[in-house]
Amino acid sequence: MDFNNQVIWITGASSGIGKALVMILAKQNCQLIISSRRIADLEAVKNACPKPENIACLPFDLADYQTMSTIVEKAVSAFGKINILINNGGISQRSLIIETDISVDKKLMEVDYLGTVALSKALLPYFVKQQSGQFVAVTSLMGKFASPYRSGYCGAKHALHGFFDALRLEHEKDGISVTLICPGFVNTDIAKNALTGDGSLQNTQDTATKNGLDVNLFAERMLKAIHKNKFEAYFGKKEVLGVYLKRFFPKFLHWYILRSVVR
């Protein structure tokens, strides 16, 4: 796994999966652009790396998807090029459909789908011009099948698969590739930061997330999939089986999830 001389842009880089990716890649001979909403958090990650001079901090909010052209210009100017965009930023949800205000669904689509799509579309002309580039989207196993308490999150993640599959088809001729990363449960703060039905944060960890894959192990596996230029990669424990059950035995998957405790 060698990203030598690559410029890699990572969103959601101040914590969780994004931070783990930064800490691994910072040990290689590559340059990083790291993004999230808060500059102080990004600077803390940068200063914890062995070669902070190879890291540029670029704060922005994915919900501000009308401003992405300006953000991309700043990113390209940091090191003169971008080879890989890792779309990792996003939020999750924990609430029943009947108890979820439509504003929460809107927020999930704005951040998880529209923000990611707008950023990728703004960068696309640069990739076309240089006739190379890789889009990576961290979706979820929830982009392949659904689970209770995550309706808006599942909808946004399913939508990402449709968009990036189309992008891959349209721009393979331009030397552009797409890798969809589909994690199951990874031990991060995603559950604590998940939105509830009224838009407030859940602020508690759930058992499944706590018992999920170690975030550093996941990041290592994810980077191997990116390096191999895989179309899709699934990571997790037994929850990965859901991808194949959805394809071949959808009624059984429905029955199994109903009888599982997934919050």
Side-chain angles (χ1 to χ4, degrees):
M1 185 176 65
D2 183 7
F3 293 96
N4 189 45
N5 294 322
Q6 300 283 290
V7 176
I8 304 172
W9 187 5
I10 304 171
T11 67
S14 61
S15 63
I17 291 170
K19 181 178 178 180
L21 292 170
V22 173
M23 301 309 290
I24 294 169
L25 288 169
K27 298 175 184 176
Q28 298 201 22
N29 185 28
C30 61
Q31 294 169 310
L32 303 176
I33 303 164
I34 60 175
S35 294
S36 69
R37 287 179 297 166
R38 290 178 285 272
I39 184 62
D41 294 341
L42 292 173
E43 292 287 353
V45 173
K46 175 180 176 177
N47 292 332
C49 293
K51 298 178 181 179
E53 65 274 13
N54 288 337
I55 300 175
C57 297
L58 179 56
F60 70 94
D61 191 340
L62 281 167
D64 297 331
Y65 51 86
Q66 301 289 357
T67 66
M68 294 307 176
S69 293
T70 300
I71 298 298
V72 166
E73 288 178 8
K74 292 179 180 179
V76 173
S77 67
F79 297 109
K81 66 174 183 177
I82 296 171
N83 300 106
I84 303 172
L85 169 61
I86 300 179
N87 286 297
N88 170 69
I91 52 177
S92 191
Q93 170 212 3
R94 298 291 188 278
S95 56
L96 294 169
I97 294 171
I98 200 168
E99 297 173 355
T100 304
D101 190 87
I102 192 65
S103 63
V104 175
D105 298 279
K106 183 173 181 285
K107 182 70 171 180
L108 287 158
M109 288 301 294
E110 285 177 338
V111 175
D112 290 358
Y113 180 71
L114 290 175
T116 294
V117 167
L119 181 62
S120 299
K121 290 182 72 170
L123 182 59
L124 181 59
Y126 290 87
F127 278 180
V128 171
K129 184 177 181 179
Q130 69 186 17
Q131 286 293 286
S132 67
Q134 183 177 11
F135 288 106
V136 179
V138 180
T139 66
S140 172
L141 292 181
M142 296 295 95
K144 303 296 289 186
F145 59 94
S147 171
Y149 299 95
R150 297 161 173 81
S151 57
Y153 181 74
C154 292
K157 295 301 186 179
H158 273 70
L160 284 175
H161 277 255
F163 174 82
F164 280 105
D165 282 345
L167 190 155
R168 184 192 293 117
L169 287 165
E170 292 183 12
H171 289 283
E172 184 177 272
K173 69 183 189 308
D174 298 311
I176 297 169
S177 62
V178 172
T179 297
L180 293 167
I181 300 293
C182 309
F185 296 112
V186 180
N187 190 357
T188 68
D189 287 339
I190 188 171
K192 292 181 182 180
N193 296 324
L195 302 181
T196 59
D198 63 2
S200 61
L201 299 185
Q202 178 171 253
N203 279 325
T204 57
Q205 183 70 295
D206 59 54
T207 302
T209 303
K210 182 179 179 181
N211 294 331
L213 289 178
D214 174 79
V215 67
N216 296 303
L217 174 63
F218 168 79
E220 289 277 6
R221 293 179 177 177
M222 174 178 164
L223 288 171
K224 288 179 181 178
I226 294 171
H227 189 258
K228 291 179 180 178
N229 203 17
K230 289 191 173 183
F231 271 29
E232 290 187 3
Y234 315 123
F235 301 100
K237 297 181 180 179
K238 64 180 181 180
E239 65 269 19
V240 173
L241 293 174
V243 175
Y244 306 99
L245 291 175
K246 175 67 173 179
R247 185 181 305 168
F248 299 109
F249 306 104
K251 285 188 176 181
F252 177 77
L253 177 63
H254 172 83
W255 176 89
Y256 180 79
I257 292 177
L258 282 178
R259 284 153 183 79
S260 302
V261 180
V262 181
R263 283 297 301 269

